[in-house]
Amino acid sequence: MTAGRTPLVDFHCHVDLMPDPPGFIRQRDRQEVRTLAVTTTPRAWPQNREWAAGSTHVRPALGMHPQVVAERADEIDLFEAFLSETRYVGEVGLDGSKSHTSSLDLQKAVFNRILSACAREGERILSVHSLRADVSVLDAIEELLPPTRGTVVLHWFTGSTKQAVRAVELGCYFSLNPLMLQTPRHQQLVRAIPLDRLLTETDAPFARGSLEEGGLVMVEETIGRIAELHDMPGSQVTSIIQANLGRLLRT
Ligand code: MN
């Protein structure tokens, strides 16, 4: 990478679902992409911690994905046991889409335990999924995780603008990918979020196009779209996002 270039940020990436996670981590270190490596089950934590142990740019997160809660709710004990080992939590949250509504009550019980555990430990940073469950996710955060005990980054948020504004008031950040910036409704949503709450993400390998050049294309496209929305140069957006990450990590 060129000296002096502002490093990019990918605050939601499924590193352990890549074909070669250790190789991918080395690539991210070479590319200087500051990456949050989210996981989907507490059982995956020890391996992910080990892979990222020597990395300069990749940080592993302890996760329990809402879409696996129906099958793995009992792993919440393991989640609580591992939580003292990491500052980063994700992917966690609620999924209210059709194929997961049957587990929504169980998902809520698990998410409440996750938020309460984070509030007890303090200083945790969480990457949170809220597909078709924006109101419930924010209700739970408001009730259980005050901003003084932890910070939430809403990943691929597609809820209403009203709830986005509420999330900003609750202290949340947002990690964005270009698929969130394609429709006028979503562009309006992103415009409602202050620039100092924005981060970028790929959700690789799930999001379409997220693997091109190891995700760099996607992060750069997101920056380009935010720059268009706010009528400013992409380099300025890159610096703002870098500064946002710095502030988030200092909280
Ligand atoms: Mn994800």
Side-chain angles (χ1 to χ4, degrees), residues 12 14 38 65 91 129 155 203 206:
H12 186 104
H14 293 268
V38 295
H65 197 293
E91 180 166 359
H129 174 114
H155 133 73
D203 202 17
F206 295 120

Side-chain angles (χ1 to χ4, degrees), residues 92-108:
V92 297
L94 299 176
D95 191 310
S97 61
K98 237 187 201 148
S99 30
H100 300 285
T101 39
S102 60
S103 68
L104 203 51
D105 285 344
L106 190 56
Q107 290 181 45
K108 284 180 181 173

